[in-house]
Amino acid sequence: MKKMLASFLTLTMLLTMLCIGTAAAEPTEIVFWTALSGNLGETLDTIISDFNASQDDWNVVAEYQGSYYDIAAKLQTAVVAGEEPDVVQCECSRVCMFAEYGIFEDLTEEAAEYGLDVDSLFDGFMADCDWGEGLYALPFNRSTPMFYYNKTLSDELGLTAPTTWDELHETALAVSKEGEVWGFEVPVDSWFWEAFIVQSGGSLMNETNTDIGFNNESGWAALSLLRSMVDDGSMKAPPGAEYNAWEAARSDLAAGITTMIMTSSGDLRTLMNTCDFEVGTAFLPANEQYGVVTGGANIAVLAGHDEKMAGIMAFLNYMISPETAGYWAANTGYVPISEAASQTDVYQEFLATYPAGTTALAQMEYATNQPTIPQWTEIANEFMMDEMQRCVENSEYTPEMATQTVSDSVKNLIGTN
Amino acid sequence: MEDYRDLTSTHFVRGLKYTINLLFKLLVLFIVAYPFFWVVLTAFKPYKETVTYPPSFLPSTWTLDGFRQCTESIDVLHFMKNTLIISFTVLLAQYLVIIPAAYAFARVKFFGKGVLFGVVLLGFMIPQQITFVPVYLMFSKAKMLSSYWPQTLPFIANAFGIFLLRQYFMQIPEEIIEAARMDDAGEFKIIIDIMIPMAKTALFAIGLLSFISMWNSYFWPLIMTTNDTYRPLTIAVASLKAVDGAVIWNMLMAANLFLIGPILLAYLLASKQIRSAFVYSGIK
């Protein structure tokens, strides 16, 4: 099939050359690939058209390219062909990988030259943009795991939001009715396991990044808790894979099948709009300490686009400014990327409508980032996800076996075995 | 007496077989059709009802909210136009390639035929996921990305179609072609007047398969295009499922109805054609 292609190409090339019009020279186009569609995409479009209207030299064009996974795949292909965009939205655990490949530009010097105020951004979000080897991205749509509960029901029963794992288990048992109502539900997803590990005082990787840091009690604790809660009927493991499980958890809370769930801080609006009762929010309960691992996506600049750097930096400056960041957070439900953004009028109005939004901001004090090693996406999405699911579903498969398997796979992957 | 007993028992066995057969067919029909019913019913529900528990079967109030939201979020007509252009271009243009190619492979002796046919076979045995990078690079060099070209050209040379049609052409009795040659018919006339009418069934089957696969393609156009100008409906529908936040089920299912409606129609129309092609083809 592909063999015929060559001859066709030569035949049609002339024709196509004629069809391609010459693009307008002014203003210079800056192409921005994003994974945002629907309401998120519309909010971004508003922000970008405001930027374009504010000056005459640059015209930013946002182009939707599918999911975070699709973008990563497209980017790898496009870079080989020299068809890559100027700026890209990159899921935060993948930034390090692309930086290591030399695909993303180190913006340290440019940030100083163009006066980019990166110091004002939350450390918890900057950690996977600048991990000591250069400034490879800026936080954009960032979120953290958050704890949501049916406040109306809890008030009726005289219960409060649990602050520790033990309280979580007790509260969940108190409201569960066998086969009808489950006290607690959380997607069996590595993002939450990461948070549980941090809460148990563990670390995701060891200090030298040669092995995982939770092949010990800090990794086992969460798996044991989830197993025992599933066993005694106080937790429902949502069906479905990947984001379908998240959807199931949200729907179950809204439907009254579960009373407490963990999901993204970005789901606040959705939950408040779909639940017929008052939705309460709280920190993820602590084991030894509070803790969450941030998620979402950053903005990165492609390497070698120096001729457009002035425009790109003007755009980034605009994006991280308190006004834009505050507007973005208020209209989407993502966590503001700086203290100043959270103080803007537009975000304060959002908090007045959705007071539960303050929880996500306050929880930032305990936020940490995913390890900045190129392999982390694979470790979390493949190894941790699989072992976590196997361990929660299969009573024969102990937490010790699960973390040992993750450790073995990671050592094989990194080459330290 | 014995004959009579035999008769009732065969009668009974036949009846039983018929019933089991019917029940099995109904079961298969149910399994296949149920998700479609669910799509249709969900598309007409208000959003709140799509996430309530226990789920309702029929919408409590029939509403067009889903369709309205869908047409507000994406330009359905624009994307549908792209999908139609891409699908029909491939559907029609591929016959210009596969009919002469299949005829040559089936009926003409030429040097290197075996090797060339092997290349064709390779063409449809290698999955898209392996070939997309080199094809992308070729289109990039030719400055033809972000157009209809990369979405249609590679599929017009339909390797599977060439293979299937060649097998079909080979079954046509040599005598018929010999008789035509005796009457001074050229190769072109033989193809038009004998091969094509006799291979109607295969041509319809190939057309239908390629139409459906073009209509449904997502990965290929997503890689080959960067903006909405030339993108098909599949990508637009997928974009309705946002990266974070809730899935608006009634909107998503309404969009899916736009997507599967025409393909169901194509099935209905083509199945009739295929059946009639079987009857008149003259080959048993």
Side-chain angles (χ1 to χ4, degrees), chain A residues 1 3-5 16 20 33 37 63-65 68 70 74 78 81 83 247 250 255 257 270 273-274 276 334, chain B residues 47-48 53 119 136-137 140 143 145 149 154 157 218 222-223 225-227 231 239 243-247 249:
Chain A
M1 167 159 66
K3 305 291 153 189
M4 303 288 207
L5 194 64
T16 327
I20 297 170
W33 279 7
S37 57
E63 292 179 340
Y64 168 78
Q65 306 297 342
Y68 291 142
D70 291 333
K74 272 204 77 159
E83 301 272 353
E247 184 66 30
R250 288 192 295 261
I257 299 172
T270 309
N273 292 333
T274 50
D276 294 327
Y334 285 109
Chain B
Y47 171 65
K48 279 238 166 170
Y53 184 86
V119 171
Y136 181 91
L137 292 177
S140 163
K143 299 262 177 272
L145 284 173
W149 294 113
Y218 171 79
L222 182 73
I223 294 290
T225 60
T226 53
N227 60 54
R231 278 180 173 167
S239 79
V243 68
D244 280 312
V247 181
W249 291 110

Side-chain angles (χ1 to χ4, degrees), chain B residues 81-276:
Chain B
K81 182 198 80 189
N82 284 345
T83 296
L84 286 171
I85 289 175
I86 294 161
S87 304
F88 276 100
T89 306
V90 172
L91 176 68
L92 299 175
Q94 66 178 342
Y95 290 127
L96 298 177
V97 177
I98 64 172
I99 293 171
Y103 181 74
F105 281 126
R107 293 294 173 187
V108 183
K109 290 197 180 86
F110 58 90
F111 176 74
K113 185 168 151 182
V115 176
L116 285 176
F117 190 63
V119 171
V120 171
L121 289 183
L122 273 180
F124 81 85
M125 285 193 277
I126 297 174
Q128 274 187 4
Q129 281 73 5
I130 293 176
T131 55
F132 81 87
V133 174
V135 175
Y136 181 91
L137 292 177
M138 283 161 75
F139 278 104
S140 163
K141 273 187 191 150
K143 299 262 177 272
M144 286 162 76
L145 284 173
S146 278
S147 68
Y148 294 126
W149 294 113
Q151 303 182 68
T152 49
L153 274 185
F155 305 98
I156 286 172
N158 178 351
F160 177 70
I162 294 173
F163 167 74
L164 197 74
L165 201 58
R166 169 190 175 263
Q167 306 305 103
Y168 217 85
F169 281 170
M170 283 171 74
Q171 285 174 18
I172 293 172
E174 187 65 31
E175 291 78 9
I176 299 181
I177 296 166
E178 286 298 317
R181 287 219 171 92
M182 303 273 256
D183 290 337
D184 283 338
E187 300 292 335
F188 189 67
K189 200 170 166 52
I190 291 175
I191 293 181
I192 298 285
D193 288 344
I194 298 176
M195 305 310 265
I196 291 180
M198 294 191 102
K200 240 183 182 174
T201 323
L203 289 171
F204 272 118
I206 292 165
L208 190 67
L209 286 176
S210 93
F211 185 78
I212 291 166
S213 86
M214 291 317 294
W215 189 275
N216 289 335
S217 62
Y218 171 79
F219 177 75
W220 191 272
L222 182 73
I223 294 290
M224 296 298 163
T225 60
T226 53
N227 60 54
D228 289 345
T229 320
Y230 300 103
R231 278 180 173 167
L233 189 58
T234 41
I235 295 180
V237 170
S239 79
L240 291 175
K241 209 177 167 189
V243 68
D244 280 312
V247 181
I248 314 295
W249 291 110
N250 55 341
M251 173 177 75
L252 196 65
M253 292 308 146
N256 273 312
L257 277 186
F258 286 123
L259 198 58
I260 60 177
I263 210 101
L264 287 178
L265 202 70
Y267 256 124
L268 284 176
L269 294 177
S271 72
K272 226 177 187 178
Q273 296 290 347
I274 285 176
R275 256 179 288 154
S276 67

Side-chain angles (χ1 to χ4, degrees), chain A residues 56-235:
Chain A
D56 300 324
D57 299 331
W58 310 98
N59 186 41
V60 176
V61 182
E63 292 179 340
Y64 168 78
Q65 306 297 342
S67 65
Y68 291 142
Y69 175 83
D70 291 333
I71 283 204
K74 272 204 77 159
L75 204 55
Q76 283 165 324
T77 321
V79 164
V80 181
E83 301 272 353
E84 79 276 10
D86 302 300
V87 186
V88 67
Q89 179 190 16
C90 183
E91 192 269 318
C92 55
S93 73
R94 291 183 170 91
V95 172
C96 178
M97 177 182 81
F98 282 111
E100 193 119 313
Y101 291 167
I103 290 174
F104 287 167
E105 178 87 19
D106 177 2
L107 299 170
T108 313
E109 285 171 24
E110 287 88 345
E113 190 185 335
Y114 293 93
L116 215 58
D117 188 14
V118 286
D119 294 335
S120 68
L121 308 174
F122 282 129
D123 292 340
F125 291 148
M126 280 307 292
D128 52 28
C129 297
D130 182 352
W131 52 96
E133 289 172 21
L135 177 64
Y136 282 102
L138 291 167
F140 175 37
N141 57 318
R142 298 299 300 262
S143 47
T144 61
M146 198 152 80
F147 185 89
Y148 297 87
Y149 65 104
N150 184 334
K151 192 161 188 306
T152 310
L153 183 74
S154 300
D155 289 350
E156 272 171 31
L157 298 174
L159 297 167
T160 52
T163 55
T164 65
W165 287 16
D166 290 340
E167 284 176 34
L168 171 70
H169 200 165
E170 282 164 28
T171 316
L173 273 175
V175 293
S176 295
K177 286 182 205 137
E178 200 187 336
E180 283 176 46
V181 176
W182 287 264
F184 179 56
E185 181 166 349
V186 63
V188 182
D189 188 292
S190 55
W191 200 34
F192 299 100
W193 194 11
E194 289 168 10
F196 297 148
I197 290 164
V198 175
Q199 290 158 16
S200 308
S203 62
L204 299 177
M205 291 298 288
N206 66 8
E207 278 176 14
T208 48
N209 283 338
T210 48
D211 188 8
I212 54 170
F214 55 90
N215 190 8
N216 51 43
E217 184 54 36
S218 69
W220 306 330
L223 297 180
S224 304
L225 175 75
L226 297 186
R227 281 159 69 100
S228 66
M229 290 184 74
V230 169
D231 280 350
D232 65 22
S234 61
M235 173 185 152

Side-chain angles (χ1 to χ4, degrees), chain A residues 362-396:
Chain A
Q363 199 178 224
M364 278 308 294
E365 189 186 331
Y366 305 100
T368 176
N369 63 301
Q370 293 176 316
T372 44
I373 53 169
Q375 299 89 348
W376 187 255
T377 311
E378 189 176 351
I379 294 172
N381 292 357
E382 308 284 337
F383 308 152
M384 288 179 71
M385 202 79 99
D386 287 353
E387 293 307 312
M388 185 184 184
Q389 280 164 0
R390 192 189 295 185
C391 185
V392 173
E393 280 162 15
N394 182 352
S395 56
E396 309 274 297

